[in-house]
Amino acid sequence: GTDFRPGFVWLEKEGHSPDALIYLTDGYCNSFPPDPGFPALWVIAPNGTPTFEPPFGEVLYIKDWQ
């Protein structure tokens, strides 16, 4: 699965504190960072896992790309 930590580490290292973050993914992951303190939207692709439960943020499922 995907390791979501590097993107959040980069944001912190570069001194970025976004108003929100949108992460496009298939949801197959077991490596989350700690809650970054800003809103996160996890957008799950049509072929992604139907049971994605991140430790923070909201989840949006895309049913079809068309």
Side-chain angles (χ1 to χ4, degrees):
T2 302
D3 184 347
F4 290 127
R5 295 173 295 181
F8 289 89
V9 168
W10 181 86
L11 286 170
E12 185 175 342
K13 179 181 171 187
E14 296 296 318
H16 298 294
S17 181
D19 292 330
L21 177 81
I22 299 172
Y23 216 123
L24 305 175
T25 179
D26 61 9
Y28 293 102
C29 170
N30 57 7
S31 299
F32 290 93
D35 188 330
F38 49 78
L41 176 63
W42 305 91
V43 180
I44 309 301
N47 63 338
T49 178
T51 59
F52 186 67
E53 294 185 26
F56 58 87
E58 299 292 326
V59 179
L60 173 70
Y61 289 91
I62 297 175
K63 292 182 180 182
D64 195 350
W65 289 118
Q66 297 176 355

